[in-house]
Amino acid sequence: MVTITLVRGDITKQSVDAIVNAANSSLLGGGGVDGAIHRAGGPEILDACRDLRASHFGKGLPTGQAVATTAGRLSAQWVIHTVGPVWSATEDRSTLLASCYGESLRVADELGAHTIAFPAISTGIYRWPINDGARIAIETVRSTTTNVTEVRFVLFDERAYTAFETALR
Ligand code: ADP
């Protein structure tokens, strides 16, 4: 059974097998958690992302999918990059957001990762409302069959932490 834990802090500081990056489809870096992961993990991660763009993902990583690279200098073994949907008030993109969590866990299983840390995907630059983002994250992890034993949500601020705490109850 998977244990869900909540931590307030910086995802790049976590000791887990795999850290999930809320990437953009270019895979070539961005702001927010993406920028923090590349800064802390060093150029090896970007090199691996460039290789992916030159091979499997010539047009970029589609929204809702996930792919793993080295974690470079991070203490984790892998970074799993996933692309969340941009929030839309007129179109329901929840399935894509749930897919980010589900596909990341599927990739973790393929890698043999047992502990994984997630940020609150799409709730930053992509503007997904934090309470709804938290609900989708928790519901998806709870309903996914996986060999991962710990899913750690790493929440950057108090508001995100509270939203996840509420969704967990
Ligand atoms: P997105 O484009 O998917 O919205 P962001 O990186 O802008 O991605 O934001 C996703 C979430 O990650 C936000 O809740 C943001 O506060 C949070 N975040 C930003 N930096 C970090 C970090 N170093 N560790 C954990 N969470 C972070």
Side-chain angles (χ1 to χ4, degrees), residues 9-11 22 31-34 36 119-127 154 156:
D10 180 347
I11 202 166
V33 73
D34 195 3
I121 299 164
S122 286
T123 66
I125 297 162
Y126 285 177
R127 304 186 318 275
V154 183
F156 208 45

Side-chain angles (χ1 to χ4, degrees), residues 53-91:
R53 284 300 305 273
S55 55
H56 258 71
F57 297 104
K59 292 178 178 166
L61 180 65
T63 304
Q65 294 191 24
V67 65
T69 66
T70 173
R73 295 195 292 256
L74 294 172
S75 84
Q77 217 171 330
W78 300 282
V79 171
I80 298 174
H81 307 264
T82 188
V83 182
V86 176
W87 164 256
S88 164
T90 54
E91 186 186 27

